[in-house]
Amino acid sequence: MFEVSRQTRERLALAGMPGLVHFGLAPLRLFPMRTCKKLRLQLLGTGILNLESLSLVGPEDVVPFVEEARMSSRHASSHDPERLLTGSPIHTASELCPWWEVTFSKPVQIDEITVGNRLGVWCGRAYGLIVELMDKDGIAWTYDNLSATRFNDQIARFKQHIEAFVSHCYRLPVASRNGSSRALLEFIGTATTLTTRVEQALQGASFSERDLTDARIATLAGLDAIHQPLATKDLVSTLKQSYLLFDWLLPRPKAANIDMNLPVELSAMSWMFASILTEHHTVKLAHIKDHDRLLADTACTRFVEETVNTAYKATGLTRTAMPIMFRAHGMSGSALLSDPQSFVRSMKEIEEILDGIGYQAAICYGTFLGAVREKGFIPHDDDVDMAFPLKSHGDEGVEEELQAIVATLQKQGVDAGITTGYQFLKIRAPKNKRLVDAFPIIRRGPERVGMYMQELKIRDVPAHVVLPFGSIELYGESFAAPASVDGFLSERYGPTWQTPLRIIGSKTLEV
């Protein structure tokens, strides 16, 4: 049988089924069941090898037998190559055939490989990943994410999902089925056209990206039409069945040169997000970034929010507070706006608890911005922030002091801890049960303090814009607050802090 090139297969996937061999939120899991002396990850052609983690499982832990880990080049943001095996990202320069490899001091048995991809806008870099295991005689086992075998297996899975979805739709009650029967027939036709064109192209038939994209868009439009008349439990069950189809048909960051049909694709994205929200409280930020290319501007963002809210209301579920919005950490309902007083009372609790052990806490960051600009919580915010000056001076004693605070609070029965990878606390109010982020203010001399600012990194801030604390009212309660309204908010959010902005995926857009 004629086998088309890897580049052709990549073009086919990006135009017709962008999620076909994509791995992002779900890692790539492989089962070589082989003994090897060396393992290599690489890309063909010009690219960037940028991965989150690598896990190797066998009869014994292989990490102690690592003799050397190397990579073709190292971007400034990359960790050392050996740290990929302990969950730290690696990042090469943009170059021809970038690679990472590990050599073991003795042959090791590897039964399972799990490759964690970078999430969001960077996930497409690993689209053409190749994994090789080598023994003393050379390459003993190879996996190619763009191989013909991988494509054929995934297309077979896609067709199985279509069959399962169609079967589900035929089992819906007559009233629901009648409302979408014509749309279902049209979907069957367009989905068949799409899979047939992809399969024929894989066998060497000529194709155009435009024709494949049109077939993909028509299939998405058919899915959209099927969902429109459904409601309550029929809609919930159908969303569960259609999630993978939406996920495989929506464009990814790698598909930057593929034509789009925004209205259809935004509607499809909305159904997919609604599907996630029927089972979870939040659409993860990484999932949003995975489809970041569709959220081109404020209008696109509002369209998706409105459509998701309409779809979620139609399910009849109530576990997610309305309105559902894009927020800093994902897409979710508004717990802050649905019950603001519980958060206010929680902050008052934390204020009193910290005061009891000798620390004065003030509202800060987004909570302070909301109190000043909105006279309440920011509608798209999803947490509450406080800050407190440490007693120690300089950066060396920060971790030790935070650990001592946590230990003291835990002895009092308060749920508190240091956020993994950072130096700030999460404290749960004992009575009102809401979590509060409590950030340290680090004394760095009479004129400077260190605080978490842009990109959640600590930097110097003029002490006089923070201390001594002033006061501000929020939902009828008085709180301590940074000394200078404009001074602090300009430091944190820039001189345009009075203009409402939102971070959505990897973009910052006006509200």
Side-chain angles (χ1 to χ4, degrees):
M1 180 183 293
F2 178 78
E3 186 172 301
V4 299
S5 67
R6 294 178 83 251
Q7 292 83 357
T8 299
R9 288 194 290 272
E10 182 172 17
R11 286 170 53 213
L12 279 169
L14 292 178
M17 299 177 187
L20 190 68
V21 293
H22 168 84
F23 64 102
L25 288 174
L28 179 64
R29 297 185 66 198
L30 308 172
F31 302 92
M33 311 294 287
R34 295 292 181 96
T35 298
C36 72
K37 190 72 166 53
K38 181 182 290 186
L39 180 148
R40 173 181 281 242
L41 309 174
Q42 65 177 332
L43 301 176
L44 299 182
T46 301
I48 298 171
L49 187 61
N50 187 196
L51 299 170
E52 191 74 21
S53 63
L54 177 66
S55 171
L56 306 177
V57 176
E60 58 183 340
D61 183 6
V62 303
V63 174
F65 302 107
V66 171
E67 182 175 88
E68 181 184 28
R70 303 186 303 147
M71 53 199 294
S72 55
S73 63
R74 183 176 167 188
H75 187 272
S77 66
S78 177
H79 288 93
D80 293 334
E82 64 271 13
R83 292 186 62 187
L84 182 65
L85 291 163
T86 55
S88 296
I90 56 103
H91 187 313
T92 71
S94 177
E95 59 184 336
L96 183 64
C97 300
W99 53 265
W100 176 96
E101 69 177 23
V102 58
T103 303
F104 301 101
S105 59
K106 67 165 194 171
V108 296
Q109 173 76 18
I110 296 179
D111 297 332
E112 181 180 342
I113 300 171
T114 303
V115 183
N117 195 4
R118 292 300 305 275
L119 301 178
V121 295
W122 303 281
C123 61
R125 292 171 173 172
Y127 213 71
L129 183 69
I130 294 174
V131 182
E132 294 177 336
L133 299 185
M134 288 165 268
D135 57 21
K136 61 182 178 63
D137 298 320
I139 297 175
W141 179 88
T142 300
Y143 168 83
D144 182 352
N145 201 48
L146 291 177
S147 70
T149 300
R150 166 76 162 160
F151 266 67
N152 289 328
D153 289 346
Q154 289 296 90
I155 290 170
R157 284 188 62 206
F158 182 74
K159 291 166 74 173
Q160 288 171 0
H161 284 304
I162 290 174
E163 290 173 6
F165 176 73
V166 171
S167 176
H168 162 81
C169 291
Y170 277 128
R171 292 196 303 270
L172 289 172
V174 173
S176 295
R177 195 166 66 243
N178 286 344
S180 57
S181 57
R182 181 175 178 180
L184 180 59
L185 291 174
E186 291 177 353
F187 165 76
I188 293 170
T190 57
T192 301
T193 298
L194 174 61
T195 53
T196 300
R197 286 180 179 175
V198 170
E199 288 175 322
Q200 289 174 344
L202 282 173
Q203 294 172 11
S206 62
F207 71 95
S208 74
E209 280 96 341
R210 178 71 266 171
D211 287 345
L212 285 175
T213 300
D214 287 345
R216 178 176 64 83
I217 295 298
T219 305
L220 284 173
L223 282 171
D224 178 55
I226 290 169
H227 288 76
Q228 290 288 351
L230 301 179
T232 61
K233 64 180 182 180
D234 294 336
L235 177 56
V236 173
S237 63
T238 304
L239 284 170
K240 188 173 183 178
Q241 290 289 329
S242 62
Y243 168 81
L244 280 174
L245 298 178
F246 284 125
D247 194 42
W248 282 20
L249 292 172
L250 282 167
R252 295 305 205 282
K254 181 78 173 178
N257 61 336
I258 302 300
D259 292 336
M260 296 189 300
N261 184 310
L262 268 179
V264 171
E265 292 179 320
L266 287 173
S267 186
M269 174 195 277
S270 303
W271 288 117
M272 185 175 69
F273 287 172
S275 174
I276 295 170
L277 289 165
T278 62
E279 297 192 29
H280 307 282
H281 290 293
T282 302
V283 179
K284 293 180 180 180
L285 179 61
H287 207 143
I288 294 168
K289 286 184 175 180
D290 211 16
H291 300 281
D292 184 71
R293 183 166 165 255
L294 293 175
L295 299 171
D297 52 33
T298 302
C300 292
T301 300
R302 287 177 177 165
F303 175 88
V304 172
E305 285 178 333
E306 291 170 3
T307 308
V308 168
N309 276 277
T310 300
Y312 191 80
K313 287 177 184 176
T315 67
L317 299 175
T318 58
R319 67 171 64 103
T320 296
M322 308 296 276
I324 296 167
M325 299 178 70
F326 287 107
R327 306 179 191 282
H329 305 110
M331 186 182 211
S332 64
S334 177
L336 285 178
L337 292 186
S338 64
D339 189 9
Q341 288 300 328
S342 70
F343 285 92
V344 170
R345 291 193 298 269
S346 293
M347 288 190 294
K348 276 296 178 184
E349 280 189 73
I350 303 307
E351 180 183 72
E352 183 178 338
I353 289 169
L354 289 176
D355 185 66
I357 60 173
Y359 292 91
Q360 184 187 15
I363 64 170
C364 205
Y365 303 116
T367 306
F368 181 45
L369 176 61
V372 173
R373 192 178 63 199
E374 274 80 11
K375 311 302 179 188
F377 293 129
I378 297 172
H380 57 267
D381 207 353
D382 57 3
D383 57 15
V384 287
D385 307 312
M386 302 188 80
F388 60 98
L390 298 179
K391 296 175 182 178
S392 59
H393 289 260
D395 293 53
E396 291 184 0
V398 172
E399 189 73 19
E400 183 178 350
E401 186 169 358
L402 291 178
Q403 289 174 352
I405 293 170
V406 168
T408 300
L409 295 180
Q410 289 177 346
K411 285 180 181 178
Q412 296 177 2
V414 178
D415 180 5
I418 299 175
T419 303
T420 304
Y422 298 94
Q423 291 183 316
F424 68 89
L425 308 181
K426 285 190 178 291
I427 309 173
R428 188 176 298 279
K431 296 178 182 177
N432 289 281
K433 306 302 182 184
R434 299 294 191 179
L435 272 177
V436 175
D437 290 338
F439 293 83
I441 300 172
I442 306 166
R443 302 177 190 271
R444 289 177 168 174
E447 297 183 357
R448 313 296 294 178
V449 295
M451 293 187 70
Y452 277 99
M453 301 300 278
Q454 293 84 351
E455 299 180 357
L456 210 55
K457 294 179 180 178
I458 296 174
R459 68 167 173 84
D460 273 359
V461 176
H464 72 271
V465 306
V466 184
L467 301 170
F469 288 144
S471 64
I472 195 168
E473 186 173 293
L474 180 63
Y475 292 104
E477 293 282 356
S478 179
F479 287 92
S484 169
V485 170
D486 184 67
F488 179 81
L489 293 178
S490 293
E491 280 283 337
R492 173 60 186 87
Y493 301 103
T496 61
W497 62 265
Q498 295 185 60
T499 301
L501 299 172
R502 279 197 288 171
I503 298 174
I504 299 170
S506 61
K507 302 180 178 70
T508 300
L509 302 173
E510 285 195 24
V511 175

PDB file of all heavy atoms in Angstrom, residues 305-318:
ATOM      1  N   GLU A 305     -19.005  32.949  26.137  1.00  0.00           N
ATOM      2  CA  GLU A 305     -19.600  33.027  27.475  1.00  0.00           C
ATOM      3  C   GLU A 305     -21.124  32.970  27.409  1.00  0.00           C
ATOM      4  O   GLU A 305     -21.771  32.228  28.172  1.00  0.00           O
ATOM      5  CB  GLU A 305     -19.159  34.308  28.177  1.00  0.00           C
ATOM      6  CG  GLU A 305     -17.724  34.261  28.668  1.00  0.00           C
ATOM      7  CD  GLU A 305     -17.275  35.545  29.330  1.00  0.00           C
ATOM      8  OE1 GLU A 305     -17.836  36.615  28.991  1.00  0.00           O
ATOM      9  OE2 GLU A 305     -16.370  35.497  30.171  1.00  0.00           O
ATOM     10  N   GLU A 306     -21.701  33.743  26.516  1.00  0.00           N
ATOM     11  CA  GLU A 306     -23.164  33.750  26.394  1.00  0.00           C
ATOM     12  C   GLU A 306     -23.692  32.385  25.966  1.00  0.00           C
ATOM     13  O   GLU A 306     -24.707  31.900  26.493  1.00  0.00           O
ATOM     14  CB  GLU A 306     -23.599  34.826  25.388  1.00  0.00           C
ATOM     15  CG  GLU A 306     -23.377  36.246  25.882  1.00  0.00           C
ATOM     16  CD  GLU A 306     -23.574  37.282  24.783  1.00  0.00           C
ATOM     17  OE1 GLU A 306     -23.947  36.885  23.654  1.00  0.00           O
ATOM     18  OE2 GLU A 306     -23.350  38.477  25.042  1.00  0.00           O
ATOM     19  N   THR A 307     -23.002  31.749  25.017  1.00  0.00           N
ATOM     20  CA  THR A 307     -23.453  30.453  24.523  1.00  0.00           C
ATOM     21  C   THR A 307     -23.310  29.376  25.591  1.00  0.00           C
ATOM     22  O   THR A 307     -24.192  28.512  25.751  1.00  0.00           O
ATOM     23  CB  THR A 307     -22.667  30.055  23.258  1.00  0.00           C
ATOM     24  OG1 THR A 307     -22.717  31.128  22.301  1.00  0.00           O
ATOM     25  CG2 THR A 307     -23.243  28.804  22.629  1.00  0.00           C
ATOM     26  N   VAL A 308     -22.205  29.399  26.327  1.00  0.00           N
ATOM     27  CA  VAL A 308     -22.011  28.435  27.406  1.00  0.00           C
ATOM     28  C   VAL A 308     -23.075  28.618  28.484  1.00  0.00           C
ATOM     29  O   VAL A 308     -23.646  27.639  28.985  1.00  0.00           O
ATOM     30  CB  VAL A 308     -20.599  28.559  28.009  1.00  0.00           C
ATOM     31  CG1 VAL A 308     -20.493  27.759  29.311  1.00  0.00           C
ATOM     32  CG2 VAL A 308     -19.550  28.077  27.023  1.00  0.00           C
ATOM     33  N   ASN A 309     -23.376  29.856  28.853  1.00  0.00           N
ATOM     34  CA  ASN A 309     -24.404  30.100  29.869  1.00  0.00           C
ATOM     35  C   ASN A 309     -25.767  29.597  29.402  1.00  0.00           C
ATOM     36  O   ASN A 309     -26.509  28.968  30.164  1.00  0.00           O
ATOM     37  CB  ASN A 309     -24.467  31.590  30.209  1.00  0.00           C
ATOM     38  CG  ASN A 309     -23.442  31.995  31.248  1.00  0.00           C
ATOM     39  OD1 ASN A 309     -23.656  31.843  32.444  1.00  0.00           O
ATOM     40  ND2 ASN A 309     -22.318  32.521  30.793  1.00  0.00           N
ATOM     41  N   THR A 310     -26.096  29.854  28.130  1.00  0.00           N
ATOM     42  CA  THR A 310     -27.370  29.376  27.584  1.00  0.00           C
ATOM     43  C   THR A 310     -27.428  27.850  27.588  1.00  0.00           C
ATOM     44  O   THR A 310     -28.437  27.246  27.985  1.00  0.00           O
ATOM     45  CB  THR A 310     -27.572  29.908  26.154  1.00  0.00           C
ATOM     46  OG1 THR A 310     -27.584  31.333  26.184  1.00  0.00           O
ATOM     47  CG2 THR A 310     -28.887  29.404  25.569  1.00  0.00           C
ATOM     48  N   ALA A 311     -26.335  27.221  27.159  1.00  0.00           N
ATOM     49  CA  ALA A 311     -26.287  25.755  27.110  1.00  0.00           C
ATOM     50  C   ALA A 311     -26.383  25.169  28.512  1.00  0.00           C
ATOM     51  O   ALA A 311     -27.102  24.187  28.742  1.00  0.00           O
ATOM     52  CB  ALA A 311     -25.007  25.297  26.416  1.00  0.00           C
ATOM     53  N   TYR A 312     -25.642  25.754  29.447  1.00  0.00           N
ATOM     54  CA  TYR A 312     -25.651  25.202  30.803  1.00  0.00           C
ATOM     55  C   TYR A 312     -27.031  25.352  31.452  1.00  0.00           C
ATOM     56  O   TYR A 312     -27.508  24.438  32.138  1.00  0.00           O
ATOM     57  CB  TYR A 312     -24.585  25.876  31.664  1.00  0.00           C
ATOM     58  CG  TYR A 312     -24.372  25.165  32.981  1.00  0.00           C
ATOM     59  CD1 TYR A 312     -23.587  24.022  33.052  1.00  0.00           C
ATOM     60  CD2 TYR A 312     -24.992  25.609  34.140  1.00  0.00           C
ATOM     61  CE1 TYR A 312     -23.411  23.343  34.245  1.00  0.00           C
ATOM     62  CE2 TYR A 312     -24.827  24.935  35.344  1.00  0.00           C
ATOM     63  CZ  TYR A 312     -24.028  23.807  35.387  1.00  0.00           C
ATOM     64  OH  TYR A 312     -23.870  23.139  36.579  1.00  0.00           O
ATOM     65  N   LYS A 313     -27.679  26.487  31.218  1.00  0.00           N
ATOM     66  CA  LYS A 313     -29.044  26.664  31.751  1.00  0.00           C
ATOM     67  C   LYS A 313     -29.976  25.605  31.170  1.00  0.00           C
ATOM     68  O   LYS A 313     -30.848  25.076  31.869  1.00  0.00           O
ATOM     69  CB  LYS A 313     -29.558  28.061  31.405  1.00  0.00           C
ATOM     70  CG  LYS A 313     -28.922  29.180  32.217  1.00  0.00           C
ATOM     71  CD  LYS A 313     -29.443  30.537  31.756  1.00  0.00           C
ATOM     72  CE  LYS A 313     -28.739  31.676  32.499  1.00  0.00           C
ATOM     73  NZ  LYS A 313     -29.172  33.007  31.996  1.00  0.00           N
ATOM     74  N   ALA A 314     -29.789  25.276  29.888  1.00  0.00           N
ATOM     75  CA  ALA A 314     -30.656  24.289  29.244  1.00  0.00           C
ATOM     76  C   ALA A 314     -30.487  22.893  29.841  1.00  0.00           C
ATOM     77  O   ALA A 314     -31.400  22.071  29.771  1.00  0.00           O
ATOM     78  CB  ALA A 314     -30.378  24.242  27.743  1.00  0.00           C
ATOM     79  N   THR A 315     -29.319  22.622  30.460  1.00  0.00           N
ATOM     80  CA  THR A 315     -29.121  21.309  31.074  1.00  0.00           C
ATOM     81  C   THR A 315     -29.966  21.151  32.337  1.00  0.00           C
ATOM     82  O   THR A 315     -30.212  20.023  32.777  1.00  0.00           O
ATOM     83  CB  THR A 315     -27.646  21.072  31.453  1.00  0.00           C
ATOM     84  OG1 THR A 315     -27.273  21.974  32.505  1.00  0.00           O
ATOM     85  CG2 THR A 315     -26.738  21.238  30.245  1.00  0.00           C
ATOM     86  N   GLY A 316     -30.383  22.256  32.938  1.00  0.00           N
ATOM     87  CA  GLY A 316     -31.146  22.197  34.181  1.00  0.00           C
ATOM     88  C   GLY A 316     -30.290  21.959  35.405  1.00  0.00           C
ATOM     89  O   GLY A 316     -30.812  21.858  36.524  1.00  0.00           O
ATOM     90  N   LEU A 317     -28.967  21.871  35.248  1.00  0.00           N
ATOM     91  CA  LEU A 317     -28.071  21.658  36.383  1.00  0.00           C
ATOM     92  C   LEU A 317     -27.876  22.962  37.152  1.00  0.00           C
ATOM     93  O   LEU A 317     -27.975  24.051  36.585  1.00  0.00           O
ATOM     94  CB  LEU A 317     -26.718  21.127  35.905  1.00  0.00           C
ATOM     95  CG  LEU A 317     -26.746  19.774  35.169  1.00  0.00           C
ATOM     96  CD1 LEU A 317     -25.364  19.427  34.651  1.00  0.00           C
ATOM     97  CD2 LEU A 317     -27.268  18.673  36.083  1.00  0.00           C
ATOM     98  N   THR A 318     -27.561  22.835  38.423  1.00  0.00           N
ATOM     99  CA  THR A 318     -27.389  24.028  39.268  1.00  0.00           C
ATOM    100  C   THR A 318     -26.109  23.993  40.083  1.00  0.00           C
ATOM    101  O   THR A 318     -25.899  24.851  40.937  1.00  0.00           O
ATOM    102  CB  THR A 318     -28.577  24.171  40.236  1.00  0.00           C
ATOM    103  OG1 THR A 318     -28.673  22.980  41.040  1.00  0.00           O
ATOM    104  CG2 THR A 318     -29.883  24.390  39.486  1.00  0.00           C
TER     105      THR A 318
END
